[in-house]
Amino acid sequence: MSPETGETLELDVRRLEPPEPLERILDTLADMPRDARLRVVHRREPFPLYDLLRRLGYQWHTEGADEYFEILIWS
């Protein structure tokens, strides 16, 4: 699957304190349909998440901004 296909779920974790953003992202991915993708808005780049995504077989694309990061995750 490519990041351009399927339903996109939205998750904004900018106001959550660690480790809640990571937990919410992983919980959402566990319940997400296989053909969907997840768009996460985060206040910083979540480097610990990337290793977990790699091990779980997900792909991602991150775009940074001064105020927040957007991470698109798909399998």
Side-chain angles (χ1 to χ4, degrees):
M1 178 178 163
S2 74
E4 293 84 26
T5 61
E7 175 188 10
T8 300
L9 305 174
E10 305 280 334
L11 183 61
D12 187 340
V13 297
R14 286 178 286 186
R15 291 189 170 92
L16 302 177
E17 293 299 320
E20 198 170 359
L22 179 64
E23 293 169 348
R24 289 267 182 100
I25 294 166
L26 294 176
D27 287 346
T28 302
L29 289 172
D31 295 335
M32 191 170 77
R34 185 100 174 117
D35 63 340
R37 58 195 177 185
L38 177 62
R39 179 184 167 268
V40 177
V41 181
H42 205 308
R43 69 175 173 254
R44 61 180 141 206
E45 192 164 10
F47 291 106
L49 173 65
Y50 299 151
D51 185 51
L52 291 172
L53 292 175
R54 186 177 298 107
R55 286 192 268 153
L56 294 170
Y58 288 98
Q59 298 179 54
W60 67 93
H61 174 77
T62 303
E63 290 189 15
D66 291 335
E67 297 176 19
Y68 60 90
F69 286 85
E70 290 186 19
I71 305 101
L72 185 63
I73 304 168
W74 69 96
S75 57

